[in-house]
Amino acid sequence: MKIAIMGAMVEEITPLLDFFGSYETIAFAKNRYYTTTYKGLELVIAYSKIGKVNASLTATTLIEKFGAEQLLFSGVAGALNPNLHVGDVLVATALTQHDLDITAFGHPHGYVPEGSVYVETDASLRALAHKVAHAQNISLQEGIIATGDQFICDGTKKEWIYKTFNADATEMEGASVAVVCDALKIPFCVFRAISDAADMDAGFSFDEFLVSSAKESAQFIIAMLDEL
Ligand SMILES: CCCCCCN(CO)Cc1c[nH]c2c(N)ncnc12
C-alpha cells in the first residue's frame, strides 16, 4: 500500500521526516517529494507550500506521479469553534472553500456548477482515526474545515466563515486536497492541530504554536500508520 502524507509548510512535515530518519528525495515541479518505507508501507511525503493552488498541484502529483493510493494531510489550523483550543487535534469530516464565491448568480457560498459546497473525507479513515485516538488516549475532535487563500486573523471574517459554513476550523489547503482526492477516487483524510483562534492575535499565536501543533498532528499521523 502506498500512502501519501502531505503538509503545506516544511514545519508540518519536518516531524515526519525526522521520525522516519532516512528517505529518498525527488525534485519535481519546483518542489521535493520524499519517499521511504515504514512497516511494509510505502510512503511519499511532501509539503505543498501555502495555499489552494499549491496544494492542488502537490495532491495531484502525489497521486498521479507517485501512485499514492491513500492520502493523509497533516498540519495546523485556526479555530473557528470556541470549543477548540491550541493543541487540539481535529479530524475533518468535510471540507469547503470559503472564498469560492459566485453568489452573484444565486449560488451558495462555496459552490460552483457540477461541484458541491462540501467534500467529505473517507469514513473508514475517520473511523480508524477514532480507534487510534481511543487506543492511545488522545482526544480527537471532529469537525468541518473551511479552506481559503487567506490567513484569517480578524474576528468579523472568523465569525462569517463560522456561521456561513458551520465550520470548526480554517486553513488554506485542505479543501483543495479534498477536491483532488474525490475526483481521483483516492481515500483521504485531513488532520489539523489548532495553532490559533483566527482572530486579531492569530499571527502571534501561529508563530508561537506552529512547531508544537505541527508535531501534535504529525504524531497522530504516525500513530495512524501503525494501524493502516
Ligand atoms: C507564513 C504563515 C503562513 C500561514 C499558513 C497557515 N496555515 C495554512 O493552511 C494553517 C493556518 C493556521 N491558522 C490559520 C488561520 N488563522 N487562517 C488560515 N490558515 C491557518
mmCIF file of all heavy atoms in Angstrom, residues 100-148:
data_model
loop_
_atom_site.group_PDB
_atom_site.id
_atom_site.type_symbol
_atom_site.label_atom_id
_atom_site.label_comp_id
_atom_site.label_asym_id
_atom_site.label_seq_id
_atom_site.Cartn_x
_atom_site.Cartn_y
_atom_site.Cartn_z
ATOM 1 N N LEU A 100 -14.690 30.769 -2.329
ATOM 2 C CA LEU A 100 -15.200 30.449 -3.669
ATOM 3 C C LEU A 100 -16.596 31.072 -3.759
ATOM 4 O O LEU A 100 -17.501 30.655 -3.048
ATOM 5 C CB LEU A 100 -15.259 28.940 -3.859
ATOM 6 C CG LEU A 100 -15.613 28.386 -5.236
ATOM 7 C CD1 LEU A 100 -14.680 28.907 -6.329
ATOM 8 C CD2 LEU A 100 -15.606 26.861 -5.208
ATOM 9 N N ASP A 101 -16.778 32.081 -4.575
ATOM 10 C CA ASP A 101 -17.985 32.909 -4.454
ATOM 11 C C ASP A 101 -18.534 33.321 -5.821
ATOM 12 O O ASP A 101 -17.980 34.208 -6.477
ATOM 13 C CB ASP A 101 -17.630 34.158 -3.627
ATOM 14 C CG ASP A 101 -18.804 35.119 -3.492
ATOM 15 O OD1 ASP A 101 -19.824 34.927 -4.199
ATOM 16 O OD2 ASP A 101 -18.703 36.047 -2.672
ATOM 17 N N ILE A 102 -19.619 32.647 -6.246
ATOM 18 C CA ILE A 102 -20.385 33.139 -7.401
ATOM 19 C C ILE A 102 -21.829 33.361 -6.941
ATOM 20 O O ILE A 102 -22.788 33.077 -7.656
ATOM 21 C CB ILE A 102 -20.304 32.186 -8.617
ATOM 22 C CG1 ILE A 102 -20.726 30.764 -8.260
ATOM 23 C CG2 ILE A 102 -18.924 32.200 -9.246
ATOM 24 C CD1 ILE A 102 -20.956 29.886 -9.488
ATOM 25 N N THR A 103 -21.936 33.933 -5.723
ATOM 26 C CA THR A 103 -23.283 34.223 -5.174
ATOM 27 C C THR A 103 -24.023 35.247 -6.050
ATOM 28 O O THR A 103 -25.248 35.339 -6.003
ATOM 29 C CB THR A 103 -23.158 34.771 -3.740
ATOM 30 O OG1 THR A 103 -22.250 35.891 -3.758
ATOM 31 C CG2 THR A 103 -22.606 33.698 -2.798
ATOM 32 N N ALA A 104 -23.294 35.994 -6.880
ATOM 33 C CA ALA A 104 -23.931 36.971 -7.798
ATOM 34 C C ALA A 104 -24.962 36.285 -8.694
ATOM 35 O O ALA A 104 -25.893 36.924 -9.192
ATOM 36 C CB ALA A 104 -22.870 37.636 -8.661
ATOM 37 N N PHE A 105 -24.809 34.971 -8.879
ATOM 38 C CA PHE A 105 -25.716 34.215 -9.758
ATOM 39 C C PHE A 105 -26.659 33.324 -8.950
ATOM 40 O O PHE A 105 -27.196 32.339 -9.453
ATOM 41 C CB PHE A 105 -24.888 33.391 -10.754
ATOM 42 C CG PHE A 105 -23.991 34.263 -11.584
ATOM 43 C CD1 PHE A 105 -22.680 34.495 -11.175
ATOM 44 C CD2 PHE A 105 -24.469 34.907 -12.726
ATOM 45 C CE1 PHE A 105 -21.851 35.336 -11.905
ATOM 46 C CE2 PHE A 105 -23.647 35.749 -13.465
ATOM 47 C CZ PHE A 105 -22.339 35.962 -13.055
ATOM 48 N N GLY A 106 -26.764 33.651 -7.646
ATOM 49 C CA GLY A 106 -27.748 32.939 -6.824
ATOM 50 C C GLY A 106 -27.245 31.645 -6.229
ATOM 51 O O GLY A 106 -27.989 30.918 -5.570
ATOM 52 N N HIS A 107 -25.970 31.342 -6.450
ATOM 53 C CA HIS A 107 -25.419 30.102 -5.876
ATOM 54 C C HIS A 107 -24.992 30.339 -4.430
ATOM 55 O O HIS A 107 -24.644 31.475 -4.064
ATOM 56 C CB HIS A 107 -24.212 29.645 -6.695
ATOM 57 C CG HIS A 107 -24.565 29.265 -8.099
ATOM 58 N ND1 HIS A 107 -25.388 28.198 -8.413
ATOM 59 C CD2 HIS A 107 -24.231 29.829 -9.283
ATOM 60 C CE1 HIS A 107 -25.533 28.118 -9.714
ATOM 61 N NE2 HIS A 107 -24.837 29.095 -10.271
ATOM 62 N N PRO A 108 -24.977 29.290 -3.589
ATOM 63 C CA PRO A 108 -24.490 29.450 -2.209
ATOM 64 C C PRO A 108 -22.976 29.656 -2.190
ATOM 65 O O PRO A 108 -22.281 29.260 -3.142
ATOM 66 C CB PRO A 108 -24.868 28.136 -1.522
ATOM 67 C CG PRO A 108 -25.119 27.161 -2.606
ATOM 68 C CD PRO A 108 -25.486 27.929 -3.837
ATOM 69 N N HIS A 109 -22.474 30.257 -1.144
ATOM 70 C CA HIS A 109 -21.028 30.399 -0.971
ATOM 71 C C HIS A 109 -20.391 29.013 -1.030
ATOM 72 O O HIS A 109 -20.945 28.040 -0.511
ATOM 73 C CB HIS A 109 -20.705 31.050 0.389
ATOM 74 C CG HIS A 109 -20.927 32.541 0.396
ATOM 75 N ND1 HIS A 109 -20.012 33.428 -0.129
ATOM 76 C CD2 HIS A 109 -21.969 33.280 0.839
ATOM 77 C CE1 HIS A 109 -20.474 34.658 0.008
ATOM 78 N NE2 HIS A 109 -21.662 34.591 0.594
ATOM 79 N N GLY A 110 -19.244 28.900 -1.686
ATOM 80 C CA GLY A 110 -18.509 27.645 -1.747
ATOM 81 C C GLY A 110 -18.952 26.708 -2.849
ATOM 82 O O GLY A 110 -18.406 25.602 -2.980
ATOM 83 N N TYR A 111 -19.938 27.145 -3.652
ATOM 84 C CA TYR A 111 -20.484 26.274 -4.707
ATOM 85 C C TYR A 111 -20.167 26.811 -6.102
ATOM 86 O O TYR A 111 -20.248 28.022 -6.346
ATOM 87 C CB TYR A 111 -22.010 26.176 -4.570
ATOM 88 C CG TYR A 111 -22.656 25.357 -5.676
ATOM 89 C CD1 TYR A 111 -22.679 23.969 -5.612
ATOM 90 C CD2 TYR A 111 -23.189 25.989 -6.811
ATOM 91 C CE1 TYR A 111 -23.240 23.220 -6.647
ATOM 92 C CE2 TYR A 111 -23.748 25.253 -7.839
ATOM 93 C CZ TYR A 111 -23.772 23.873 -7.762
ATOM 94 O OH TYR A 111 -24.321 23.136 -8.774
ATOM 95 N N VAL A 112 -19.786 25.894 -7.005
ATOM 96 C CA VAL A 112 -19.751 26.194 -8.433
ATOM 97 C C VAL A 112 -20.464 25.040 -9.150
ATOM 98 O O VAL A 112 -20.493 23.910 -8.626
ATOM 99 C CB VAL A 112 -18.310 26.365 -8.992
ATOM 100 C CG1 VAL A 112 -17.656 27.620 -8.418
ATOM 101 C CG2 VAL A 112 -17.477 25.125 -8.759
ATOM 102 N N PRO A 113 -21.061 25.279 -10.323
ATOM 103 C CA PRO A 113 -21.791 24.233 -11.050
ATOM 104 C C PRO A 113 -20.949 22.967 -11.231
ATOM 105 O O PRO A 113 -19.747 23.039 -11.438
ATOM 106 C CB PRO A 113 -22.088 24.901 -12.396
ATOM 107 C CG PRO A 113 -22.183 26.355 -12.066
ATOM 108 C CD PRO A 113 -21.150 26.588 -10.982
ATOM 109 N N GLU A 114 -21.628 21.811 -11.062
ATOM 110 C CA GLU A 114 -21.006 20.483 -11.138
ATOM 111 C C GLU A 114 -20.070 20.220 -9.958
ATOM 112 O O GLU A 114 -19.283 19.268 -9.986
ATOM 113 C CB GLU A 114 -20.278 20.283 -12.479
ATOM 114 C CG GLU A 114 -21.210 20.424 -13.690
ATOM 115 C CD GLU A 114 -20.455 20.307 -15.000
ATOM 116 O OE1 GLU A 114 -19.896 19.233 -15.276
ATOM 117 O OE2 GLU A 114 -20.417 21.328 -15.728
ATOM 118 N N GLY A 115 -20.137 21.074 -8.953
ATOM 119 C CA GLY A 115 -19.336 20.839 -7.740
ATOM 120 C C GLY A 115 -20.258 20.662 -6.557
ATOM 121 O O GLY A 115 -21.457 20.402 -6.734
ATOM 122 N N SER A 116 -19.700 20.768 -5.355
ATOM 123 C CA SER A 116 -20.527 20.679 -4.133
ATOM 124 C C SER A 116 -19.898 21.601 -3.095
ATOM 125 O O SER A 116 -18.683 21.843 -3.116
ATOM 126 C CB SER A 116 -20.551 19.240 -3.602
ATOM 127 O OG SER A 116 -19.239 18.842 -3.257
ATOM 128 N N VAL A 117 -20.730 22.115 -2.199
ATOM 129 C CA VAL A 117 -20.199 23.020 -1.174
ATOM 130 C C VAL A 117 -19.214 22.276 -0.267
ATOM 131 O O VAL A 117 -18.163 22.794 0.079
ATOM 132 C CB VAL A 117 -21.335 23.635 -0.340
ATOM 133 C CG1 VAL A 117 -20.782 24.525 0.786
ATOM 134 C CG2 VAL A 117 -22.274 24.439 -1.250
ATOM 135 N N TYR A 118 -19.563 21.049 0.087
ATOM 136 C CA TYR A 118 -18.686 20.258 0.974
ATOM 137 C C TYR A 118 -18.193 18.997 0.270
ATOM 138 O O TYR A 118 -18.920 18.406 -0.523
ATOM 139 C CB TYR A 118 -19.452 19.839 2.236
ATOM 140 C CG TYR A 118 -19.933 20.987 3.079
ATOM 141 C CD1 TYR A 118 -21.242 21.463 2.951
ATOM 142 C CD2 TYR A 118 -19.089 21.624 3.987
ATOM 143 C CE1 TYR A 118 -21.688 22.539 3.714
ATOM 144 C CE2 TYR A 118 -19.540 22.695 4.755
ATOM 145 C CZ TYR A 118 -20.830 23.150 4.607
ATOM 146 O OH TYR A 118 -21.268 24.217 5.347
ATOM 147 N N VAL A 119 -16.973 18.591 0.559
ATOM 148 C CA VAL A 119 -16.454 17.278 0.145
ATOM 149 C C VAL A 119 -16.158 16.511 1.433
ATOM 150 O O VAL A 119 -15.478 17.038 2.322
ATOM 151 C CB VAL A 119 -15.169 17.399 -0.705
ATOM 152 C CG1 VAL A 119 -14.629 16.004 -1.063
ATOM 153 C CG2 VAL A 119 -15.434 18.200 -1.978
ATOM 154 N N GLU A 120 -16.693 15.310 1.531
ATOM 155 C CA GLU A 120 -16.497 14.536 2.769
ATOM 156 C C GLU A 120 -15.203 13.743 2.731
ATOM 157 O O GLU A 120 -14.778 13.287 1.664
ATOM 158 C CB GLU A 120 -17.681 13.575 2.968
ATOM 159 C CG GLU A 120 -18.948 14.312 3.342
ATOM 160 C CD GLU A 120 -20.091 13.354 3.700
ATOM 161 O OE1 GLU A 120 -19.834 12.136 3.850
ATOM 162 O OE2 GLU A 120 -21.222 13.838 3.817
ATOM 163 N N THR A 121 -14.588 13.567 3.884
ATOM 164 C CA THR A 121 -13.386 12.731 3.986
ATOM 165 C C THR A 121 -13.812 11.263 4.041
ATOM 166 O O THR A 121 -14.985 10.944 4.194
ATOM 167 C CB THR A 121 -12.582 13.090 5.252
ATOM 168 O OG1 THR A 121 -13.454 12.959 6.384
ATOM 169 C CG2 THR A 121 -12.038 14.512 5.179
ATOM 170 N N ASP A 122 -12.848 10.383 3.919
ATOM 171 C CA ASP A 122 -13.122 8.940 3.864
ATOM 172 C C ASP A 122 -13.580 8.424 5.229
ATOM 173 O O ASP A 122 -12.864 8.598 6.230
ATOM 174 C CB ASP A 122 -11.840 8.214 3.424
ATOM 175 C CG ASP A 122 -12.071 6.720 3.300
ATOM 176 O OD1 ASP A 122 -12.666 6.297 2.295
ATOM 177 O OD2 ASP A 122 -11.689 5.986 4.238
ATOM 178 N N ALA A 123 -14.742 7.806 5.266
ATOM 179 C CA ALA A 123 -15.331 7.375 6.540
ATOM 180 C C ALA A 123 -14.480 6.321 7.246
ATOM 181 O O ALA A 123 -14.341 6.365 8.476
ATOM 182 C CB ALA A 123 -16.742 6.836 6.295
ATOM 183 N N SER A 124 -13.865 5.413 6.483
ATOM 184 C CA SER A 124 -13.095 4.364 7.177
ATOM 185 C C SER A 124 -11.793 4.927 7.740
ATOM 186 O O SER A 124 -11.359 4.522 8.817
ATOM 187 C CB SER A 124 -12.827 3.178 6.249
ATOM 188 O OG SER A 124 -12.271 3.634 5.046
ATOM 189 N N LEU A 125 -11.216 5.911 7.066
ATOM 190 C CA LEU A 125 -10.011 6.552 7.632
ATOM 191 C C LEU A 125 -10.379 7.315 8.903
ATOM 192 O O LEU A 125 -9.642 7.313 9.894
ATOM 193 C CB LEU A 125 -9.360 7.481 6.609
ATOM 194 C CG LEU A 125 -8.508 6.798 5.537
ATOM 195 C CD1 LEU A 125 -8.086 7.801 4.467
ATOM 196 C CD2 LEU A 125 -7.289 6.127 6.168
ATOM 197 N N ARG A 126 -11.566 7.913 8.900
ATOM 198 C CA ARG A 126 -12.030 8.649 10.098
ATOM 199 C C ARG A 126 -12.271 7.671 11.244
ATOM 200 O O ARG A 126 -11.874 7.900 12.379
ATOM 201 C CB ARG A 126 -13.325 9.394 9.800
ATOM 202 C CG ARG A 126 -13.144 10.804 9.329
ATOM 203 C CD ARG A 126 -14.378 11.687 9.501
ATOM 204 N NE ARG A 126 -15.656 11.061 9.329
ATOM 205 C CZ ARG A 126 -16.328 10.989 8.183
ATOM 206 N NH1 ARG A 126 -15.773 11.449 7.071
ATOM 207 N NH2 ARG A 126 -17.518 10.453 8.112
ATOM 208 N N ALA A 127 -12.870 6.541 10.899
ATOM 209 C CA ALA A 127 -13.152 5.531 11.940
ATOM 210 C C ALA A 127 -11.840 5.023 12.529
ATOM 211 O O ALA A 127 -11.703 4.882 13.751
ATOM 212 C CB ALA A 127 -13.952 4.374 11.339
ATOM 213 N N LEU A 128 -10.855 4.795 11.655
ATOM 214 C CA LEU A 128 -9.528 4.343 12.115
ATOM 215 C C LEU A 128 -8.903 5.397 13.028
ATOM 216 O O LEU A 128 -8.332 5.082 14.073
ATOM 217 C CB LEU A 128 -8.629 4.076 10.910
ATOM 218 C CG LEU A 128 -7.219 3.572 11.223
ATOM 219 C CD1 LEU A 128 -7.282 2.204 11.890
ATOM 220 C CD2 LEU A 128 -6.391 3.502 9.960
ATOM 221 N N ALA A 129 -9.070 6.656 12.660
ATOM 222 C CA ALA A 129 -8.522 7.749 13.476
ATOM 223 C C ALA A 129 -9.111 7.718 14.879
ATOM 224 O O ALA A 129 -8.389 7.827 15.875
ATOM 225 C CB ALA A 129 -8.804 9.087 12.812
ATOM 226 N N HIS A 130 -10.428 7.511 14.971
ATOM 227 C CA HIS A 130 -11.060 7.461 16.304
ATOM 228 C C HIS A 130 -10.603 6.234 17.085
ATOM 229 O O HIS A 130 -10.407 6.296 18.290
ATOM 230 C CB HIS A 130 -12.586 7.497 16.163
ATOM 231 C CG HIS A 130 -13.103 8.843 15.764
ATOM 232 N ND1 HIS A 130 -12.984 9.954 16.570
ATOM 233 C CD2 HIS A 130 -13.687 9.266 14.630
ATOM 234 C CE1 HIS A 130 -13.501 11.007 15.964
ATOM 235 N NE2 HIS A 130 -13.931 10.619 14.780
ATOM 236 N N LYS A 131 -10.392 5.127 16.377
ATOM 237 C CA LYS A 131 -9.916 3.900 17.037
ATOM 238 C C LYS A 131 -8.522 4.135 17.608
ATOM 239 O O LYS A 131 -8.228 3.822 18.762
ATOM 240 C CB LYS A 131 -9.896 2.764 16.000
ATOM 241 C CG LYS A 131 -9.442 1.417 16.542
ATOM 242 C CD LYS A 131 -9.533 0.331 15.458
ATOM 243 C CE LYS A 131 -8.590 -0.819 15.787
ATOM 244 N NZ LYS A 131 -7.653 -1.118 14.691
ATOM 245 N N VAL A 132 -7.663 4.751 16.816
ATOM 246 C CA VAL A 132 -6.288 5.048 17.246
ATOM 247 C C VAL A 132 -6.301 6.028 18.415
ATOM 248 O O VAL A 132 -5.626 5.844 19.419
ATOM 249 C CB VAL A 132 -5.466 5.618 16.060
ATOM 250 C CG1 VAL A 132 -4.177 6.254 16.528
ATOM 251 C CG2 VAL A 132 -5.200 4.541 15.029
ATOM 252 N N ALA A 133 -7.141 7.063 18.302
ATOM 253 C CA ALA A 133 -7.221 8.071 19.371
ATOM 254 C C ALA A 133 -7.649 7.418 20.678
ATOM 255 O O ALA A 133 -7.077 7.665 21.734
ATOM 256 C CB ALA A 133 -8.198 9.167 18.975
ATOM 257 N N HIS A 134 -8.643 6.529 20.564
ATOM 258 C CA HIS A 134 -9.155 5.856 21.772
ATOM 259 C C HIS A 134 -8.062 4.959 22.369
ATOM 260 O O HIS A 134 -7.786 5.023 23.562
ATOM 261 C CB HIS A 134 -10.395 5.016 21.409
ATOM 262 C CG HIS A 134 -10.997 4.313 22.583
ATOM 263 N ND1 HIS A 134 -11.703 4.990 23.559
ATOM 264 C CD2 HIS A 134 -10.963 3.007 22.963
ATOM 265 C CE1 HIS A 134 -12.094 4.115 24.480
ATOM 266 N NE2 HIS A 134 -11.663 2.905 24.140
ATOM 267 N N ALA A 135 -7.407 4.193 21.491
ATOM 268 C CA ALA A 135 -6.386 3.242 21.948
ATOM 269 C C ALA A 135 -5.209 3.962 22.606
ATOM 270 O O ALA A 135 -4.610 3.468 23.561
ATOM 271 C CB ALA A 135 -5.894 2.411 20.763
ATOM 272 N N GLN A 136 -4.917 5.164 22.104
ATOM 273 C CA GLN A 136 -3.745 5.897 22.614
ATOM 274 C C GLN A 136 -4.141 7.036 23.546
ATOM 275 O O GLN A 136 -3.329 7.884 23.890
ATOM 276 C CB GLN A 136 -2.923 6.441 21.442
ATOM 277 C CG GLN A 136 -2.636 5.386 20.391
ATOM 278 C CD GLN A 136 -1.262 5.527 19.787
ATOM 279 O OE1 GLN A 136 -0.510 6.447 20.106
ATOM 280 N NE2 GLN A 136 -0.939 4.612 18.908
ATOM 281 N N ASN A 137 -5.438 7.007 23.910
ATOM 282 C CA ASN A 137 -5.922 8.001 24.880
ATOM 283 C C ASN A 137 -5.638 9.439 24.435
ATOM 284 O O ASN A 137 -5.228 10.297 25.224
ATOM 285 C CB ASN A 137 -5.269 7.734 26.244
ATOM 286 C CG ASN A 137 -6.229 8.104 27.380
ATOM 287 O OD1 ASN A 137 -7.362 8.501 27.114
ATOM 288 N ND2 ASN A 137 -5.747 8.004 28.591
ATOM 289 N N ILE A 138 -5.781 9.657 23.144
ATOM 290 C CA ILE A 138 -5.618 11.018 22.598
ATOM 291 C C ILE A 138 -7.029 11.545 22.354
ATOM 292 O O ILE A 138 -7.868 10.839 21.802
ATOM 293 C CB ILE A 138 -4.852 10.961 21.253
ATOM 294 C CG1 ILE A 138 -3.484 10.302 21.416
ATOM 295 C CG2 ILE A 138 -4.712 12.364 20.649
ATOM 296 C CD1 ILE A 138 -2.845 9.910 20.076
ATOM 297 N N SER A 139 -7.295 12.797 22.765
ATOM 298 C CA SER A 139 -8.640 13.326 22.495
ATOM 299 C C SER A 139 -8.647 13.901 21.085
ATOM 300 O O SER A 139 -7.903 14.823 20.760
ATOM 301 C CB SER A 139 -9.021 14.370 23.545
ATOM 302 O OG SER A 139 -8.453 15.614 23.204
ATOM 303 N N LEU A 140 -9.455 13.298 20.233
ATOM 304 C CA LEU A 140 -9.541 13.697 18.825
ATOM 305 C C LEU A 140 -10.875 14.395 18.583
ATOM 306 O O LEU A 140 -11.937 13.832 18.843
ATOM 307 C CB LEU A 140 -9.443 12.451 17.932
ATOM 308 C CG LEU A 140 -9.471 12.677 16.427
ATOM 309 C CD1 LEU A 140 -8.244 13.446 15.953
ATOM 310 C CD2 LEU A 140 -9.574 11.336 15.701
ATOM 311 N N GLN A 141 -10.815 15.627 18.129
ATOM 312 C CA GLN A 141 -12.041 16.370 17.791
ATOM 313 C C GLN A 141 -12.395 16.070 16.341
ATOM 314 O O GLN A 141 -11.530 15.686 15.552
ATOM 315 C CB GLN A 141 -11.811 17.879 17.949
ATOM 316 C CG GLN A 141 -11.182 18.271 19.273
ATOM 317 C CD GLN A 141 -12.036 17.861 20.460
ATOM 318 O OE1 GLN A 141 -13.261 17.983 20.441
ATOM 319 N NE2 GLN A 141 -11.383 17.325 21.483
ATOM 320 N N GLU A 142 -13.650 16.271 16.007
ATOM 321 C CA GLU A 142 -14.120 16.038 14.643
ATOM 322 C C GLU A 142 -14.853 17.304 14.200
ATOM 323 O O GLU A 142 -15.552 17.923 15.013
ATOM 324 C CB GLU A 142 -15.099 14.854 14.634
ATOM 325 C CG GLU A 142 -15.071 14.067 13.357
ATOM 326 C CD GLU A 142 -16.046 12.897 13.340
ATOM 327 O OE1 GLU A 142 -17.251 13.110 13.509
ATOM 328 O OE2 GLU A 142 -15.560 11.766 13.146
ATOM 329 N N GLY A 143 -14.666 17.713 12.952
ATOM 330 C CA GLY A 143 -15.409 18.902 12.519
ATOM 331 C C GLY A 143 -15.202 19.251 11.054
ATOM 332 O O GLY A 143 -14.458 18.581 10.339
ATOM 333 N N ILE A 144 -15.886 20.325 10.677
ATOM 334 C CA ILE A 144 -15.814 20.815 9.301
ATOM 335 C C ILE A 144 -14.682 21.830 9.190
ATOM 336 O O ILE A 144 -14.496 22.666 10.083
ATOM 337 C CB ILE A 144 -17.163 21.471 8.902
ATOM 338 C CG1 ILE A 144 -18.252 20.393 8.801
ATOM 339 C CG2 ILE A 144 -17.039 22.231 7.582
ATOM 340 C CD1 ILE A 144 -19.658 20.936 8.611
ATOM 341 N N ILE A 145 -13.930 21.728 8.093
ATOM 342 C CA ILE A 145 -12.837 22.676 7.834
ATOM 343 C C ILE A 145 -13.216 23.555 6.647
ATOM 344 O O ILE A 145 -13.681 23.067 5.616
ATOM 345 C CB ILE A 145 -11.522 21.922 7.562
ATOM 346 C CG1 ILE A 145 -10.972 21.342 8.875
ATOM 347 C CG2 ILE A 145 -10.494 22.834 6.892
ATOM 348 C CD1 ILE A 145 -9.675 20.568 8.742
ATOM 349 N N ALA A 146 -13.017 24.865 6.809
ATOM 350 C CA ALA A 146 -13.228 25.830 5.721
ATOM 351 C C ALA A 146 -11.864 26.325 5.256
ATOM 352 O O ALA A 146 -11.081 26.855 6.061
ATOM 353 C CB ALA A 146 -14.084 26.999 6.202
ATOM 354 N N THR A 147 -11.610 26.120 3.994
ATOM 355 C CA THR A 147 -10.312 26.431 3.371
ATOM 356 C C THR A 147 -10.432 27.675 2.508
ATOM 357 O O THR A 147 -11.425 27.852 1.807
ATOM 358 C CB THR A 147 -9.879 25.251 2.474
ATOM 359 O OG1 THR A 147 -9.796 24.067 3.267
ATOM 360 C CG2 THR A 147 -8.551 25.519 1.791
ATOM 361 N N GLY A 148 -9.408 28.519 2.546
ATOM 362 C CA GLY A 148 -9.398 29.677 1.650
ATOM 363 C C GLY A 148 -7.993 30.225 1.515
ATOM 364 O O GLY A 148 -7.117 29.911 2.319
#
